[in-house]
Structure formats: C-alpha cells, structure tokens
C-alpha cells in the first residue's frame, strides 16, 4: 500500500477499537436512539417497497444498529467496519437464520466489494470519521460498489448553518442533547466536534455530486443530523488504488 494512504484503522476521536467502547455502545446510544425506528425511517426515506431481491452494503456498521434489521428484509447484507470488536457485538445480535449477513473487517477506503454491484450502500454515523479529501475518495469507491441507478444513503452529523454562527450553534446543540442523553454523551459530542471530521452540507453535497451521484432527497431537522438519498447516475472508467 502507498505510504500516503490514510490509515482508517487508526481511530480518530472516540476509539471504537476498544472493547469497553464496543460493549457499552448500545446501552449508551439507546438512551437517545431507537435503532428499529431509524431503520424503518431509512426504508421510508429511500421509498423502498420490497428489498427481498436487493443487496445492501452497510459501511461502518458498528454493533449492527441497521444490519440486524436489514438481515430480515434484504437478500444479502455486507456489514463492514474497521473495528473487529464492534463487529463482534453485532454478530451476537444475529439469529441463526441470518445467514445472509457477511461481516468484513475493513473500511470505506479498504473494503473491496467482490460480489455483484449492490442495490444500496448505506452509512450511518460513520462517514465523519474520514477527513474531507478521503471522504471524496470513499465516495468514488461507493460509486464503484453500486449498480447504476442504485442508491447511496448517508445519515450523519453534517453542519447546516452559516460558518459565522458556529460557536452558538454548537453550544445550543450540545446542551439540547445533554438533556436527553446525559453527561457521558456530552463528552462524546465534544470529542466529535473537536477530533472527528464532520463537515458542512455544501462541501459534502459537492463531493457526493462529483462522485457520480444525484442527491434526490436531503433532510436535516436540527441543522446537525442529516440524511441524504443519492442515486448513482454515472459510472467512471478509472478509479484509484486497490
Ligand atoms: C458511531 S459508530 C456508528 C455505528 C453504526 N453505524 C450505528 O449507526 O450505530 C461509528 C462506527 O464507524 C466505524 N468506523 C470508523 N472509521 C471507519 C472507516 N474508515 N471505515 C468503516 N468504519 C469506520 C467505527 O469503528 C464505528 O463502529
């Protein structure tokens, strides 16, 4: 591998390679998230009627917040994460019938999808782990994983305010979240803002479009959490480094 390639296995911010992080992840996140509701929300947002013939790639699957529900309605699910301990937690939640789920210890920049191109690529709360330059490379790689006409779903913290307002916006967001999720989560959000790589909407939107996608839907209720439904409209002949 070239020496200039970003090492995505070195975690920025919250270190999900730590077993303690992986073990407490679900309990902490269930204080302010309903994984099943989120999954149904994604299916509605993408306007999917019947996914039983579809293949889904979940990049940054973590402890399987979406993977475990996807297993019940997709033909095949590829659940990818750079943290083996997060993947171990996800595996524990699958039943014996969920043989359609394939876990892969890799990441946005290293996962090589071997099967036929997927119908859906999704990433929830994980894309902000890459700096912007590498987000663009990862989006090109996602394009390659998807069928022409397939959908990319991104759900993440993406800033939707004018840059001058950053301090007040971030303070208000943190204090609002602290009320529902508690002190430990406030520390996590501070780490997110300081050490991870969430970016502005207009930057992410530009990168998505340059990677051969059309943004069909985009939503952010609080100017921080955002969902994107993007259709692959272009194949590229040449990509990058494998
Ligand atoms: C906040 S968790 C989100 C997990 C899950 N998607 C969810 O919705 O709960 C972020 C996950 O992204 C993973 N991650 C970080 N960098 C990554 C990368 N470059 N490629 C793939 N996964 C990555 C972490 O290991 C962690 O499991």
């Amino acid at each position: 591998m070239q020496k200039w390639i970003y090492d995505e296995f070195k975690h920025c911010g919250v270190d999900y390679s730590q077993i303690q992080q992986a073990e407490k992840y679900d309990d902490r996140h269930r204080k302010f998230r309903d994984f099943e509701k989120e999954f149904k929300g994604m299916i509605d947002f993408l306007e999917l009627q019947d996914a039983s013939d579809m293949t889904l790639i979940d990049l940054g699957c973590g402890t399987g917040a979406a993977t475990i529900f996807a297993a019940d309605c997709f033909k095949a699910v590829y659940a990818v994460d750079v943290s083996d301990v997060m993947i171990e937690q996800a595996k524990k939640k699958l039943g014996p019938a969920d043989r359609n789920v394939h876990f892969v210890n890799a990441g946005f920049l290293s996962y090589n999808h071997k099967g036929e191109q997927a119908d859906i690529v999704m990433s929830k709360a994980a894309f902000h782990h890459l700096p912007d330059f590498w987000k663009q490379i990862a989006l090109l790689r996602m394009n390659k994983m998807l069928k022409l006409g397939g959908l990319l779903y991104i759900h993440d913290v993406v800033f939707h305010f004018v840059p001058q307002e950053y301090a007040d916006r971030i303070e208000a967001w943190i204090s609002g979240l602290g009320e529902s999720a508690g002190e430990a989560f406030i520390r996590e959000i501070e780490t997110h803002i300081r050490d991870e790589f969430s970016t502005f909407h207009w930057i992410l939107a530009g990168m998505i479009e340059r990677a051969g996608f059309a943004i069909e839907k985009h939503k952010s209720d609080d100017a921080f959490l955002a969902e994107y439904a993007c259709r692959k409209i272009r194949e590229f002949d040449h990509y990058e480094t494998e």
Side-chain angles (χ1 to χ4, degrees), residues 75-111:
K75 182 177 73 179
V77 178
Y78 294 84
V80 179
D81 202 287
V82 288
S83 166
D84 52 354
V85 290
M86 292 293 270
I87 287 179
E88 278 314 308
Q89 296 297 316
K91 280 185 182 164
K92 287 185 196 162
K93 293 194 247 168
L94 287 177
D98 298 324
R99 278 187 231 107
N100 55 341
V101 181
H102 312 276
F103 286 101
V104 186
N105 188 201
F108 295 108
L109 303 172
S110 53
Y111 173 59

Side-chain angles (χ1 to χ4, degrees), residues 8 11 16 25 33 60-62 81-83 107-108 124-126 129:
E8 60 181 344
H11 289 251
Y16 292 106
Y25 184 87
R33 293 174 65 183
C61 64
D81 202 287
V82 288
S83 166
F108 295 108
K124 187 179 270 281
H129 285 95

Side-chain angles (χ1 to χ4, degrees), residues 46 62 89 118-119 124 126 145 166 182 207 213 237 240:
L46 295 179
Q89 296 297 316
D119 299 280
K124 187 179 270 281
M145 293 170 207
Y166 76 98
M207 291 196 282
F213 294 97
D237 298 334
E240 44 59 70

